[in-house]
Amino acid sequence: MSERMSTMIRVSKIAHAAYETPDLAQQTEYYTDIIGLTLVAQEKDAVYLASTVDHHSIVLRKGAQAQCTRVGFQIPDAADLDGFEKQVKSHGIATERRKDPEPSIKDMVVFADPKGTAMEVFKRDAFSHQKFQSKGIVPYKLGHVAFHVTDVKRVTKFYCDVLGFRESDWMADFFSFLRCGPDHHTINLMETGSNRHFHTAFELRDWAHLQTACDFLSLRGYKLLWGPGRHGIGHNLFAYHRAPNGLITETFAELDRMNEELGYYEPRPWHRDNPQRPKVWAKDPSASNLWGILPSDEMMK
Ligand SMILES: [Fe+2]
């Protein structure tokens, strides 16, 4: 490991994702009544939605087109935000410093990733105490955000070198899965022909919770795009549907968790490798779904 890598400041958690959406009220209703997040603050053009100790996990703003515009990452309390900003600048990347930008965040370093999504890096200055909701799916947390990208190698390198992500797995040379904590992936990047949101994923408790979620979605008129199944890469149980604004939501459970010291994922009965370590997977249907059903064309729209 180079000196630079060993001393680098790494983000350790995805904190929030922010979206622009044409119909703010409709998307807010989806996140509260269907996903089961808590509406914690509403300004004229922004809505904050939460599920855990974080003040917000999802931010919605009114915009012409549904898109993910920003992703927030938390660094540990012991880390130095000035040092982190210097680290970003050392790559020739322009940064901006924002004081009191959002509730519960006093100081934030903001910069763009190579595809133009804003990265918001901060220390959590205050924790919230909202209870888990009793209506809707009610996930544990925001798990990951996946993007279509035009240059997967470049964007992957950015997340690793600038933010301190680690490569968890690759599907051939076109789909990377990156972690910033024990969860197998927090950001994943699939090279297609464009730069845009692919899906936003929420972690559920287990298979029973996923079943309840699929029945609940169906009763409320949401059809699954793909799943339920079990991914090969990451080994999570998954089911995908489309939110009212057209963006795809994944609900998942049983995602691989990394033991960083030992360099392998916590062993599970469905693993084919023993132990299961980060690797390049062949472009094979089992990398997508161990249970065999491949994604619909609708998933790639
Ligand atoms: Fe996913």
Side-chain angles (χ1 to χ4, degrees):
M1 196 185 286
S2 70
E3 178 67 18
R4 183 172 184 165
M5 288 301 281
S6 63
T7 57
M8 85 179 296
I9 300 165
R10 299 172 185 274
V11 303
S12 50
K13 179 191 151 161
I14 187 169
H16 60 256
Y19 303 81
E20 288 182 358
T21 195
D23 189 333
L24 203 52
Q26 184 192 45
Q27 195 67 10
T28 301
E29 194 183 338
Y30 165 77
Y31 273 116
T32 53
D33 294 3
I34 304 299
I35 298 299
L37 303 185
T38 304
L39 177 61
V40 284
Q42 196 156 14
E43 297 163 3
K44 186 171 161 285
D45 290 317
V47 175
Y48 295 94
L49 298 136
S51 69
T52 65
V53 294
D54 298 339
H55 177 270
H56 52 276
S57 302
I58 296 289
V59 184
L60 301 175
R61 287 194 170 77
K62 201 168 164 50
Q65 198 192 333
Q67 57 179 330
C68 178
T69 51
R70 306 182 288 131
V71 184
F73 298 105
Q74 198 175 331
I75 59 171
D77 288 347
D80 173 20
L81 195 62
D82 293 332
F84 180 81
E85 186 171 22
K86 257 185 229 156
Q87 177 178 296
V88 176
K89 283 184 166 158
S90 76
H91 293 275
I93 297 161
T95 60
E96 197 190 311
R97 202 68 177 253
R98 289 192 194 148
K99 304 284 179 180
D100 294 315
E102 289 176 7
S104 82
I105 303 168
K106 290 198 187 112
D107 192 3
M108 185 185 260
V109 175
V110 184
F111 52 100
D113 78 1
K115 60 185 165 48
T117 309
M119 307 282 97
E120 303 185 322
V121 177
F122 63 91
K123 289 195 227 183
R124 175 75 63 195
D125 293 300
F127 290 97
S128 301
H129 304 282
Q130 57 259 346
K131 293 190 173 75
F132 282 85
Q133 285 294 342
S134 53
K135 68 172 178 184
I137 293 170
V138 194
Y140 274 161
K141 65 176 184 187
L142 170 67
H144 59 270
V145 184
F147 293 92
H148 294 268
V149 294
T150 54
D151 187 343
V152 70
K153 285 201 178 63
R154 179 162 173 243
V155 185
T156 297
K157 190 170 164 32
F158 172 92
Y159 277 88
C160 293
D161 292 355
V162 179
L163 291 147
F165 275 76
R166 294 174 165 97
E167 294 181 6
S168 282
D169 275 313
W170 278 82
M171 193 189 295
D173 59 356
F174 70 95
F175 201 172
S176 67
F177 296 76
L178 311 174
R179 71 181 180 281
C180 65
D183 291 346
H184 178 277
H185 55 278
T186 303
I187 290 288
N188 35 343
L189 305 164
M190 182 171 63
E191 187 165 296
T192 53
S194 60
N195 290 313
R196 62 191 171 92
H197 176 267
F198 178 21
H199 63 263
T200 297
F202 293 94
E203 185 179 33
L204 308 194
R205 294 190 297 274
D206 54 19
W207 173 240
H209 193 192
L210 195 65
Q211 180 201 1
T212 306
C214 290
D215 277 330
F216 176 71
L217 286 166
S218 131
L219 282 168
R220 298 296 294 260
Y222 292 85
K223 297 226 165 23
L224 297 186
L225 296 173
W226 186 28
R230 184 185 291 286
H231 285 310
I233 298 176
H235 295 91
N236 44 317
L237 297 166
F238 66 85
Y240 295 86
H241 69 274
R242 211 176 273 286
N245 67 358
L247 298 184
I248 295 174
T249 299
E250 176 188 4
T251 48
F252 73 91
E254 297 184 345
L255 182 68
D256 280 341
R257 287 175 68 85
M258 168 58 76
N259 182 324
E260 211 65 67
E261 282 69 40
L262 299 180
Y264 57 81
Y265 301 106
E266 290 295 333
R268 294 289 182 262
W270 41 83
H271 286 171
R272 270 52 165 179
D273 295 352
N274 296 290
Q276 189 77 45
R277 299 180 189 277
K279 66 172 184 176
V280 178
W281 293 59
K283 192 191 172 192
D284 178 272
S286 66
S288 301
N289 188 356
L290 290 169
W291 296 354
I293 313 294
L294 292 178
S296 60
D297 293 342
E298 177 65 18
M299 270 293 292
M300 294 303 137
K301 283 181 192 160

